[in-house]
Amino acid sequence: MKYSVITLSILFILQIPIVYAEEKSELSTEVTEVIEISGRAIQNHNISPKNAMVNGPFGDDLGLGDIARSITPITQEMMEQLNITSLQDILAVSPNSYSASGFGAPSLPTLRGQLGELFQDGMRRQAGNNGFGIPLSFNSVDQIDVVKGAPTVLFGSSQRNGGFVNLQSKKASIDDRAAKINLTAGRWDQYSAQIDVGAPIVAGESGIRVSAEHIDNGSFYDYSSFKSDSIYTAFRFLPDSQSTWDINVEYYQVEFTDNAGINRPTQALIDDGLYITGQGVQSNGSTIPGAGAIVSPTGQVQISRSNVLTDPDNENDATTFLLHSTYTRELSGQTRLKNSSYYQYLTRDEIAQNSFVEIIDGAHTAQNRLELSHDWNNEQQTIFAVDVRYNNVLGYSQFTTEADLPIDLTGSIENRRIPLTLEQQAKLVELRPGLFVSPGGQYDINGDNVGDFSLSDTTDSTTWQTGFAIQQDSQWSERLRTNLGYRIDFYDVNARDPIAPTGQEAAKDTINETLHSAQASLNYKLYPDITVYAATSYNQATSNSMAGGIALGADNLISAQNFATDNTLHEVGLKYIPSDSSWYVDTAIFNQRRSLRNRDGSNTGIETKGVELQVFYDAAPYWFNLGYSYIDARYDNSTSSQSSTQVADAFDNSRPDIIEGTGIGAPNFASFERSNRRLQGIPEQSLTLNGGRYITDKWQAGFAALYTSSYPLDYLATVQIRDQYTLNVNSSYTINKQAKLRIDVNNITNQKNWRPVFEGGYFGSTLVFPELPIHAKVTLQYTF
């Protein structure tokens, strides 16, 4: 067994003894009657969003009752207790956030059936191509705010509109010293260590906080691992009594595996773990995986769930540097200024043996938003915002020769590898010796009026986005509150081919577009503890490629369709937030129409309707939360595409006892006509239930359960993911005032569950991701 430095699993159990407040009142000694009043103070573990404050999307320092939108703030205590270490884990508390595996490295949330946006401190972060990108470190995160629906007018036009997550960064304290170490060890040689230390620099005026994290993980999956280092530093400075300035920086370096799961997802594989063997053969007789290959089945075997589409010779690493600055100042009793700045530098290198290449040679993103908030009186507040965003991306990609279905995973590693033929190389450009990528434009070399190259997402692009927003909040009475907002964004984009073929003039283009967004909502208090709300929004958004860049189309122009994704939201809901009890309940009914970016850069319309419910109870010695969601997600009279029409296309019909193959060959890059068919890869219903109890003052036990209903894996619904559930248990013990020990056992019933590999269903007929079997980890936390 390999021993190395340790895995993070921030786990924090708040020990709060049951406190009784007893008040006795006695009359004079001459009075024989004694009146005794006793009561019990409500104690909690902060495992509820009830008292959380939300900053950024709708303004600052807002409670849940002030926000007319479905929102789940996940506090640090909730993250630790519910073992939330990735964006996939937010389903434990936030309904309608079921996600695909993201090729084993999820970097974006999935909300209401579509990829959502990722913000940190109100500024949109960048990652890889369409969410297939860089793993996310939680080393810098203090709170996760999950919001359904397109970003607000203050956050502005973006790319993904199912919803968004806003990460609130850890802050430095100017008053208190604190330090914490977390050490975690888990199955499959998974280890990590984190130290988080903070202290005032000048008491009451300035402070610093440093959090460092190292992860060294082996894996259940073959040829897979994860190693990362994050160093995060936060400063807080109070220049005077009216101002606060928070600055934080993070350096994050990661080496990880692109995990495509298991190919050939037949119903027999999902239900019984049976895999069809036989290597695909191209029309020219080659057994190298390629488009249109056909498999003659040689048998059907039980496949190990760890035997996935990875390769020991794949290279995949990324480095990112992040800087955030937030300056606030009280200009007067009625006027406040807030200036938020952000800079990110990102590089990424993936060179896979199956011919996939994504290289971000440098992506620079900078943004500054100035907000001016003015209270006209106690009932009327206006926020004006000016937002400027710069994004420059130099990147190279190649995904045109990938072919997964022809590969026999039970054979040798060579079965998975796709060395490019001379003919394929001729349609690409050599970036480095022996490494070929797509050019960033199309060229006719032989003069037949047909382009001679295979295009992906290669680009050298610069985008300037300038936005102006206004938001009006009005408190018309003690019961009625409204919010109105409008924003206009001006886009100026330049894109060019950074690696034109020899002898060709690099293609380039420029486009200028104007996008609009608007929102309106009202809150009405039926009773002091019950608020009903209605919200509507309209948002125009963009379709970007890797790291937010813009690629040229086959006509060597920037497509106007990149700026033509219209999104609407209609939502009504109710929030129950009693001040004198430990309950919190909210529910929402919604209808969203939005666009989904396809892998080829086109847009597909999606309409979703559904219901969401959240219930929290938090009072010592118990806590629990329940979440339920129903979603009807369909194509909105829209076209769609898949890597193959269905999995049967990869097989001939020589073994109908195993599979009735169509013999078409795969991949065949199928397109489907306009329809209102159900969106694949999303369960209609999900149910989560989490709870815990303090057995003694020092000993706590808890559980987390998740149920998802069946759903189609592919567009034609030829393969179904059955109803699934997962049960996790945990227990922690407080050794002394400084030390706590916790054990988590995940998937304790050892369910053989599955997930889609990628959002949008493109690989639904080709790949499926096996979730982890039973596994455990131990966490030691020490504070000083």
Side-chain angles (χ1 to χ4, degrees), residues 727-781:
L727 177 61
N728 306 326
V729 297
N730 65 79
S731 184
S732 64
Y733 185 78
T734 302
I735 301 170
N736 53 42
K737 291 183 178 180
Q738 286 76 41
K740 298 176 185 178
L741 187 68
R742 170 164 167 154
I743 182 169
D744 287 87
V745 183
N746 298 319
N747 193 10
I748 193 169
T749 58
N750 204 28
Q751 298 300 296
K752 293 178 171 59
N753 293 333
W754 303 89
R755 277 185 192 244
V757 165
F758 196 64
E759 306 294 343
Y762 183 82
F763 291 105
S765 60
T766 305
L767 303 167
V768 68
F769 193 84
E771 295 195 51
L772 291 172
I774 182 173
H775 56 288
K777 61 182 176 183
V778 177
T779 301
L780 175 65
Q781 182 181 96

Short mmCIF file of all heavy atoms in Angstrom, two decimals, residues 727-781:
data_model
loop_
_atom_site.label_atom_id
_atom_site.label_comp_id
_atom_site.label_asym_id
_atom_site.label_seq_id
_atom_site.Cartn_x
_atom_site.Cartn_y
_atom_site.Cartn_z
N LEU A 727 -26.66 5.07 -0.39
CA LEU A 727 -26.75 5.34 1.04
C LEU A 727 -25.34 5.47 1.60
O LEU A 727 -24.51 4.57 1.45
CB LEU A 727 -27.48 4.20 1.76
CG LEU A 727 -27.58 4.33 3.29
CD1 LEU A 727 -28.36 5.57 3.68
CD2 LEU A 727 -28.24 3.08 3.88
N ASN A 728 -25.08 6.62 2.23
CA ASN A 728 -23.81 6.87 2.90
C ASN A 728 -24.05 7.04 4.39
O ASN A 728 -25.09 7.58 4.80
CB ASN A 728 -23.14 8.15 2.37
CG ASN A 728 -22.98 8.14 0.86
OD1 ASN A 728 -22.76 7.10 0.25
ND2 ASN A 728 -23.09 9.32 0.25
N VAL A 729 -23.10 6.61 5.22
CA VAL A 729 -23.21 6.80 6.66
C VAL A 729 -21.91 7.40 7.18
O VAL A 729 -20.85 7.28 6.54
CB VAL A 729 -23.50 5.47 7.40
CG1 VAL A 729 -24.85 4.91 6.99
CG2 VAL A 729 -22.39 4.45 7.16
N ASN A 730 -22.00 8.06 8.32
CA ASN A 730 -20.82 8.67 8.91
C ASN A 730 -20.96 8.72 10.41
O ASN A 730 -22.07 8.66 10.96
CB ASN A 730 -20.59 10.08 8.35
CG ASN A 730 -21.70 11.03 8.73
OD1 ASN A 730 -21.75 11.56 9.85
ND2 ASN A 730 -22.64 11.27 7.81
N SER A 731 -19.82 8.83 11.07
CA SER A 731 -19.82 9.01 12.52
C SER A 731 -18.57 9.78 12.90
O SER A 731 -17.51 9.61 12.28
CB SER A 731 -19.83 7.65 13.23
OG SER A 731 -19.93 7.83 14.64
N SER A 732 -18.69 10.64 13.91
CA SER A 732 -17.54 11.42 14.36
C SER A 732 -17.48 11.42 15.88
O SER A 732 -18.50 11.29 16.57
CB SER A 732 -17.62 12.85 13.83
OG SER A 732 -18.75 13.51 14.36
N TYR A 733 -16.26 11.58 16.37
CA TYR A 733 -16.04 11.59 17.82
C TYR A 733 -15.07 12.72 18.17
O TYR A 733 -14.01 12.85 17.56
CB TYR A 733 -15.47 10.26 18.30
CG TYR A 733 -15.34 10.17 19.80
CD1 TYR A 733 -16.46 9.93 20.61
CD2 TYR A 733 -14.10 10.35 20.41
CE1 TYR A 733 -16.35 9.87 21.98
CE2 TYR A 733 -13.98 10.29 21.79
CZ TYR A 733 -15.11 10.05 22.57
OH TYR A 733 -15.01 9.99 23.95
N THR A 734 -15.47 13.53 19.13
CA THR A 734 -14.62 14.61 19.61
C THR A 734 -13.69 14.07 20.68
O THR A 734 -14.12 13.74 21.79
CB THR A 734 -15.47 15.76 20.17
OG1 THR A 734 -16.36 16.23 19.15
CG2 THR A 734 -14.59 16.90 20.64
N ILE A 735 -12.41 13.97 20.33
CA ILE A 735 -11.43 13.41 21.25
C ILE A 735 -11.16 14.36 22.41
O ILE A 735 -11.13 13.97 23.58
CB ILE A 735 -10.14 13.08 20.50
CG1 ILE A 735 -10.44 12.07 19.37
CG2 ILE A 735 -9.07 12.53 21.44
CD1 ILE A 735 -9.29 11.86 18.42
N ASN A 736 -10.95 15.64 22.06
CA ASN A 736 -10.78 16.68 23.06
C ASN A 736 -11.16 18.01 22.41
O ASN A 736 -11.73 18.01 21.31
CB ASN A 736 -9.35 16.71 23.62
CG ASN A 736 -8.31 16.79 22.52
OD1 ASN A 736 -8.47 17.53 21.55
ND2 ASN A 736 -7.24 16.00 22.66
N LYS A 737 -10.84 19.12 23.05
CA LYS A 737 -11.24 20.42 22.50
C LYS A 737 -10.61 20.72 21.16
O LYS A 737 -11.15 21.51 20.39
CB LYS A 737 -10.91 21.54 23.50
CG LYS A 737 -11.75 21.51 24.77
CD LYS A 737 -11.40 22.68 25.66
CE LYS A 737 -12.27 22.68 26.92
NZ LYS A 737 -11.95 23.83 27.81
N GLN A 738 -9.49 20.09 20.87
CA GLN A 738 -8.79 20.37 19.62
C GLN A 738 -9.02 19.31 18.54
O GLN A 738 -9.04 19.63 17.35
CB GLN A 738 -7.27 20.49 19.87
CG GLN A 738 -6.83 21.76 20.56
CD GLN A 738 -7.12 21.74 22.04
OE1 GLN A 738 -6.94 20.72 22.71
NE2 GLN A 738 -7.60 22.86 22.58
N ALA A 739 -9.17 18.07 18.91
CA ALA A 739 -9.12 16.96 17.94
C ALA A 739 -10.48 16.29 17.75
O ALA A 739 -11.21 16.04 18.72
CB ALA A 739 -8.09 15.94 18.38
N LYS A 740 -10.80 16.00 16.50
CA LYS A 740 -12.01 15.27 16.14
C LYS A 740 -11.65 14.22 15.10
O LYS A 740 -10.82 14.45 14.22
CB LYS A 740 -13.07 16.20 15.57
CG LYS A 740 -13.55 17.27 16.54
CD LYS A 740 -14.53 18.20 15.88
CE LYS A 740 -14.91 19.34 16.83
NZ LYS A 740 -15.84 20.30 16.20
N LEU A 741 -12.30 13.08 15.20
CA LEU A 741 -12.07 11.98 14.27
C LEU A 741 -13.40 11.60 13.63
O LEU A 741 -14.41 11.50 14.32
CB LEU A 741 -11.47 10.78 14.99
CG LEU A 741 -11.03 9.59 14.13
CD1 LEU A 741 -9.83 9.98 13.28
CD2 LEU A 741 -10.68 8.40 15.02
N ARG A 742 -13.38 11.41 12.31
CA ARG A 742 -14.61 11.07 11.61
C ARG A 742 -14.35 9.96 10.59
O ARG A 742 -13.28 9.91 9.97
CB ARG A 742 -15.18 12.30 10.89
CG ARG A 742 -16.33 11.98 9.94
CD ARG A 742 -17.10 13.19 9.54
NE ARG A 742 -17.98 12.92 8.40
CZ ARG A 742 -19.09 13.57 8.14
NH1 ARG A 742 -19.47 14.53 8.93
NH2 ARG A 742 -19.81 13.29 7.08
N ILE A 743 -15.34 9.09 10.43
CA ILE A 743 -15.28 8.07 9.40
C ILE A 743 -16.52 8.18 8.53
O ILE A 743 -17.63 8.39 9.03
CB ILE A 743 -15.15 6.65 10.00
CG1 ILE A 743 -15.03 5.62 8.85
CG2 ILE A 743 -16.30 6.32 10.93
CD1 ILE A 743 -14.64 4.24 9.33
N ASP A 744 -16.33 8.10 7.22
CA ASP A 744 -17.41 8.08 6.25
C ASP A 744 -17.37 6.77 5.49
O ASP A 744 -16.30 6.35 5.02
CB ASP A 744 -17.26 9.22 5.25
CG ASP A 744 -17.59 10.57 5.84
OD1 ASP A 744 -16.69 11.20 6.42
OD2 ASP A 744 -18.75 10.99 5.70
N VAL A 745 -18.50 6.13 5.36
CA VAL A 745 -18.63 4.95 4.51
C VAL A 745 -19.66 5.29 3.44
O VAL A 745 -20.84 5.49 3.74
CB VAL A 745 -19.06 3.70 5.30
CG1 VAL A 745 -19.11 2.49 4.38
CG2 VAL A 745 -18.11 3.44 6.46
N ASN A 746 -19.20 5.36 2.20
CA ASN A 746 -20.06 5.78 1.09
C ASN A 746 -20.51 4.57 0.28
O ASN A 746 -19.78 3.61 0.11
CB ASN A 746 -19.30 6.75 0.18
CG ASN A 746 -18.92 8.02 0.92
OD1 ASN A 746 -19.70 8.56 1.70
ND2 ASN A 746 -17.71 8.49 0.70
N ASN A 747 -21.75 4.67 -0.21
CA ASN A 747 -22.38 3.57 -0.95
C ASN A 747 -22.28 2.28 -0.14
O ASN A 747 -21.81 1.24 -0.62
CB ASN A 747 -21.74 3.39 -2.32
CG ASN A 747 -22.55 2.47 -3.23
OD1 ASN A 747 -23.68 2.10 -2.93
ND2 ASN A 747 -21.95 2.07 -4.34
N ILE A 748 -22.77 2.34 1.09
CA ILE A 748 -22.58 1.24 2.04
C ILE A 748 -23.28 -0.04 1.58
O ILE A 748 -22.87 -1.15 1.93
CB ILE A 748 -23.06 1.65 3.45
CG1 ILE A 748 -22.58 0.64 4.49
CG2 ILE A 748 -24.57 1.85 3.49
CD1 ILE A 748 -22.78 1.09 5.92
N THR A 749 -24.31 0.09 0.74
CA THR A 749 -24.99 -1.10 0.23
C THR A 749 -24.38 -1.59 -1.08
O THR A 749 -24.88 -2.53 -1.69
CB THR A 749 -26.49 -0.82 0.02
OG1 THR A 749 -26.64 0.28 -0.90
CG2 THR A 749 -27.17 -0.48 1.33
N ASN A 750 -23.31 -0.94 -1.52
CA ASN A 750 -22.52 -1.37 -2.69
C ASN A 750 -23.38 -1.48 -3.95
O ASN A 750 -23.32 -2.47 -4.69
CB ASN A 750 -21.82 -2.70 -2.41
CG ASN A 750 -20.60 -2.90 -3.29
OD1 ASN A 750 -19.96 -1.93 -3.70
ND2 ASN A 750 -20.27 -4.14 -3.58
N GLN A 751 -24.17 -0.44 -4.20
CA GLN A 751 -25.00 -0.40 -5.40
C GLN A 751 -24.13 -0.23 -6.65
O GLN A 751 -23.12 0.48 -6.62
CB GLN A 751 -26.01 0.74 -5.32
CG GLN A 751 -26.98 0.63 -4.17
CD GLN A 751 -27.80 -0.64 -4.23
OE1 GLN A 751 -28.57 -0.84 -5.16
NE2 GLN A 751 -27.63 -1.52 -3.25
N LYS A 752 -24.53 -0.86 -7.73
CA LYS A 752 -23.83 -0.73 -9.02
C LYS A 752 -24.55 0.34 -9.85
O LYS A 752 -25.31 0.03 -10.76
CB LYS A 752 -23.77 -2.07 -9.73
CG LYS A 752 -22.90 -3.09 -9.00
CD LYS A 752 -22.89 -4.43 -9.70
CE LYS A 752 -21.84 -5.37 -9.08
NZ LYS A 752 -22.07 -5.60 -7.64
N ASN A 753 -24.29 1.58 -9.51
CA ASN A 753 -24.98 2.70 -10.13
C ASN A 753 -24.21 3.23 -11.34
O ASN A 753 -23.00 3.04 -11.47
CB ASN A 753 -25.20 3.83 -9.12
CG ASN A 753 -26.16 3.43 -8.01
OD1 ASN A 753 -27.03 2.59 -8.21
ND2 ASN A 753 -26.01 4.03 -6.85
N TRP A 754 -24.94 3.97 -12.20
CA TRP A 754 -24.38 4.52 -13.44
C TRP A 754 -24.76 5.98 -13.59
O TRP A 754 -25.78 6.42 -13.06
CB TRP A 754 -24.90 3.75 -14.66
CG TRP A 754 -24.65 2.28 -14.64
CD1 TRP A 754 -25.45 1.30 -14.10
CD2 TRP A 754 -23.52 1.59 -15.19
NE1 TRP A 754 -24.90 0.07 -14.28
CE2 TRP A 754 -23.71 0.21 -14.95
CE3 TRP A 754 -22.37 2.01 -15.86
CZ2 TRP A 754 -22.78 -0.75 -15.37
CZ3 TRP A 754 -21.46 1.05 -16.28
CH2 TRP A 754 -21.66 -0.31 -16.03
N ARG A 755 -23.95 6.72 -14.36
CA ARG A 755 -24.25 8.10 -14.72
C ARG A 755 -23.89 8.31 -16.18
O ARG A 755 -23.02 7.62 -16.72
CB ARG A 755 -23.43 9.09 -13.89
CG ARG A 755 -23.99 9.43 -12.53
CD ARG A 755 -23.15 10.50 -11.87
NE ARG A 755 -23.49 10.65 -10.46
CZ ARG A 755 -24.02 11.74 -9.94
NH1 ARG A 755 -24.26 12.78 -10.71
NH2 ARG A 755 -24.29 11.82 -8.66
N PRO A 756 -24.50 9.33 -16.82
CA PRO A 756 -24.01 9.74 -18.14
C PRO A 756 -22.58 10.27 -18.00
O PRO A 756 -22.18 10.74 -16.93
CB PRO A 756 -24.97 10.85 -18.57
CG PRO A 756 -26.16 10.70 -17.68
CD PRO A 756 -25.67 10.11 -16.40
N VAL A 757 -21.84 10.24 -19.09
CA VAL A 757 -20.47 10.73 -19.09
C VAL A 757 -20.42 12.23 -19.32
O VAL A 757 -19.59 12.94 -18.74
CB VAL A 757 -19.63 9.99 -20.15
CG1 VAL A 757 -18.32 10.70 -20.43
CG2 VAL A 757 -19.35 8.57 -19.68
N PHE A 758 -21.33 12.74 -20.15
CA PHE A 758 -21.23 14.13 -20.60
C PHE A 758 -22.61 14.75 -20.65
O PHE A 758 -23.60 14.08 -20.95
CB PHE A 758 -20.59 14.17 -21.99
CG PHE A 758 -20.09 15.52 -22.42
CD1 PHE A 758 -19.06 16.14 -21.73
CD2 PHE A 758 -20.62 16.17 -23.51
CE1 PHE A 758 -18.57 17.38 -22.13
CE2 PHE A 758 -20.15 17.40 -23.92
CZ PHE A 758 -19.12 18.01 -23.23
N GLU A 759 -22.68 16.06 -20.34
CA GLU A 759 -23.95 16.78 -20.39
C GLU A 759 -24.44 16.89 -21.83
O GLU A 759 -23.67 16.93 -22.77
CB GLU A 759 -23.78 18.18 -19.81
CG GLU A 759 -23.18 18.22 -18.42
CD GLU A 759 -24.06 17.62 -17.36
OE1 GLU A 759 -25.26 17.44 -17.61
OE2 GLU A 759 -23.56 17.33 -16.26
N GLY A 760 -25.76 16.96 -21.98
CA GLY A 760 -26.34 17.19 -23.29
C GLY A 760 -26.62 15.93 -24.08
O GLY A 760 -27.21 15.98 -25.15
N GLY A 761 -26.14 14.77 -23.60
CA GLY A 761 -26.50 13.51 -24.23
C GLY A 761 -25.72 13.12 -25.46
O GLY A 761 -26.03 12.12 -26.10
N TYR A 762 -24.67 13.88 -25.84
CA TYR A 762 -23.97 13.58 -27.09
C TYR A 762 -23.37 12.18 -27.07
O TYR A 762 -23.35 11.48 -28.09
CB TYR A 762 -22.88 14.63 -27.35
CG TYR A 762 -22.18 14.43 -28.66
CD1 TYR A 762 -22.75 14.89 -29.86
CD2 TYR A 762 -20.96 13.75 -28.74
CE1 TYR A 762 -22.12 14.69 -31.07
CE2 TYR A 762 -20.33 13.55 -29.95
CZ TYR A 762 -20.91 14.03 -31.11
OH TYR A 762 -20.29 13.82 -32.32
N PHE A 763 -22.87 11.74 -25.93
CA PHE A 763 -22.25 10.42 -25.84
C PHE A 763 -23.18 9.37 -25.23
O PHE A 763 -22.72 8.31 -24.81
CB PHE A 763 -20.96 10.50 -25.02
CG PHE A 763 -19.86 11.28 -25.69
CD1 PHE A 763 -19.55 12.56 -25.27
CD2 PHE A 763 -19.15 10.74 -26.74
CE1 PHE A 763 -18.54 13.28 -25.88
CE2 PHE A 763 -18.14 11.44 -27.36
CZ PHE A 763 -17.83 12.73 -26.93
N GLY A 764 -24.48 9.64 -25.19
CA GLY A 764 -25.41 8.73 -24.54
C GLY A 764 -25.49 7.36 -25.19
O GLY A 764 -25.77 6.37 -24.51
N SER A 765 -25.25 7.26 -26.50
CA SER A 765 -25.29 5.96 -27.17
C SER A 765 -23.92 5.30 -27.22
O SER A 765 -23.77 4.23 -27.81
CB SER A 765 -25.80 6.14 -28.60
OG SER A 765 -24.95 7.02 -29.33
N THR A 766 -22.91 5.92 -26.60
CA THR A 766 -21.53 5.47 -26.75
C THR A 766 -20.86 5.12 -25.43
O THR A 766 -20.11 4.15 -25.36
CB THR A 766 -20.71 6.59 -27.43
OG1 THR A 766 -21.32 6.95 -28.66
CG2 THR A 766 -19.28 6.13 -27.70
N LEU A 767 -21.13 5.91 -24.38
CA LEU A 767 -20.39 5.77 -23.12
C LEU A 767 -21.35 5.84 -21.94
O LEU A 767 -22.40 6.50 -22.00
CB LEU A 767 -19.35 6.88 -22.98
CG LEU A 767 -18.30 7.02 -24.09
CD1 LEU A 767 -17.57 8.35 -23.94
CD2 LEU A 767 -17.32 5.86 -24.06
N VAL A 768 -20.94 5.21 -20.84
CA VAL A 768 -21.67 5.34 -19.57
C VAL A 768 -20.64 5.23 -18.45
O VAL A 768 -19.64 4.53 -18.58
CB VAL A 768 -22.77 4.28 -19.45
CG1 VAL A 768 -22.19 2.87 -19.31
CG2 VAL A 768 -23.71 4.58 -18.30
N PHE A 769 -20.90 5.95 -17.35
CA PHE A 769 -19.91 6.04 -16.27
C PHE A 769 -20.34 5.18 -15.08
O PHE A 769 -21.41 5.38 -14.52
CB PHE A 769 -19.76 7.49 -15.83
CG PHE A 769 -18.56 7.73 -14.96
CD1 PHE A 769 -17.31 7.94 -15.53
CD2 PHE A 769 -18.66 7.74 -13.58
CE1 PHE A 769 -16.20 8.17 -14.75
CE2 PHE A 769 -17.56 7.96 -12.78
CZ PHE A 769 -16.32 8.18 -13.37
N PRO A 770 -19.50 4.20 -14.66
CA PRO A 770 -19.82 3.40 -13.47
C PRO A 770 -19.44 4.15 -12.21
O PRO A 770 -18.29 4.56 -12.04
CB PRO A 770 -18.94 2.15 -13.66
CG PRO A 770 -17.76 2.63 -14.46
CD PRO A 770 -18.25 3.77 -15.32
N GLU A 771 -20.39 4.33 -11.32
CA GLU A 771 -20.09 5.03 -10.07
C GLU A 771 -19.33 4.12 -9.12
O GLU A 771 -19.28 2.90 -9.28
CB GLU A 771 -21.37 5.54 -9.43
CG GLU A 771 -22.07 6.59 -10.27
CD GLU A 771 -23.12 7.36 -9.49
OE1 GLU A 771 -22.79 7.85 -8.39
OE2 GLU A 771 -24.24 7.46 -9.97
N LEU A 772 -18.74 4.72 -8.09
CA LEU A 772 -17.84 3.99 -7.20
C LEU A 772 -18.59 2.96 -6.35
O LEU A 772 -19.73 3.19 -5.92
CB LEU A 772 -17.12 4.96 -6.27
CG LEU A 772 -16.10 5.89 -6.94
CD1 LEU A 772 -15.61 6.92 -5.93
CD2 LEU A 772 -14.94 5.10 -7.52
N PRO A 773 -17.94 1.82 -6.08
CA PRO A 773 -18.51 0.86 -5.13
C PRO A 773 -18.32 1.35 -3.69
O PRO A 773 -17.88 2.49 -3.47
CB PRO A 773 -17.67 -0.41 -5.40
CG PRO A 773 -16.35 0.11 -5.86
CD PRO A 773 -16.66 1.36 -6.65
N ILE A 774 -18.62 0.52 -2.72
CA ILE A 774 -18.47 0.89 -1.32
C ILE A 774 -17.04 1.32 -1.04
O ILE A 774 -16.08 0.70 -1.50
CB ILE A 774 -18.88 -0.29 -0.39
CG1 ILE A 774 -18.78 0.14 1.08
CG2 ILE A 774 -18.08 -1.53 -0.69
CD1 ILE A 774 -19.32 -0.91 2.04
N HIS A 775 -16.89 2.41 -0.32
CA HIS A 775 -15.56 2.88 0.03
C HIS A 775 -15.66 3.75 1.29
O HIS A 775 -16.70 4.32 1.60
CB HIS A 775 -14.91 3.67 -1.10
CG HIS A 775 -15.71 4.85 -1.58
ND1 HIS A 775 -16.87 4.72 -2.32
CD2 HIS A 775 -15.51 6.20 -1.44
CE1 HIS A 775 -17.35 5.91 -2.61
NE2 HIS A 775 -16.55 6.82 -2.08
N ALA A 776 -14.55 3.82 1.98
CA ALA A 776 -14.53 4.53 3.27
C ALA A 776 -13.33 5.46 3.32
O ALA A 776 -12.34 5.30 2.61
CB ALA A 776 -14.46 3.53 4.42
N LYS A 777 -13.45 6.45 4.19
CA LYS A 777 -12.33 7.34 4.45
C LYS A 777 -12.40 7.81 5.90
O LYS A 777 -13.47 7.85 6.52
CB LYS A 777 -12.33 8.53 3.50
CG LYS A 777 -13.55 9.42 3.59
CD LYS A 777 -13.44 10.53 2.56
CE LYS A 777 -14.71 11.38 2.56
NZ LYS A 777 -14.65 12.42 1.51
N VAL A 778 -11.24 8.16 6.41
CA VAL A 778 -11.11 8.63 7.80
C VAL A 778 -10.52 10.02 7.78
O VAL A 778 -9.58 10.30 7.04
CB VAL A 778 -10.21 7.67 8.62
CG1 VAL A 778 -10.04 8.21 10.04
CG2 VAL A 778 -10.80 6.28 8.65
N THR A 779 -11.10 10.91 8.59
CA THR A 779 -10.63 12.29 8.66
C THR A 779 -10.28 12.65 10.10
O THR A 779 -11.07 12.42 11.02
CB THR A 779 -11.71 13.26 8.14
OG1 THR A 779 -12.03 12.93 6.80
CG2 THR A 779 -11.22 14.70 8.21
N LEU A 780 -9.10 13.21 10.26
CA LEU A 780 -8.69 13.75 11.55
C LEU A 780 -8.59 15.26 11.42
O LEU A 780 -7.90 15.77 10.54
CB LEU A 780 -7.33 13.18 11.96
CG LEU A 780 -6.72 13.78 13.26
CD1 LEU A 780 -7.59 13.44 14.47
CD2 LEU A 780 -5.29 13.28 13.46
N GLN A 781 -9.30 15.96 12.29
CA GLN A 781 -9.27 17.42 12.29
C GLN A 781 -8.68 17.90 13.61
O GLN A 781 -9.07 17.43 14.68
CB GLN A 781 -10.67 17.99 12.10
CG GLN A 781 -10.70 19.51 12.05
CD GLN A 781 -12.12 20.02 11.90
OE1 GLN A 781 -12.76 20.38 12.88
NE2 GLN A 781 -12.61 20.05 10.69
#
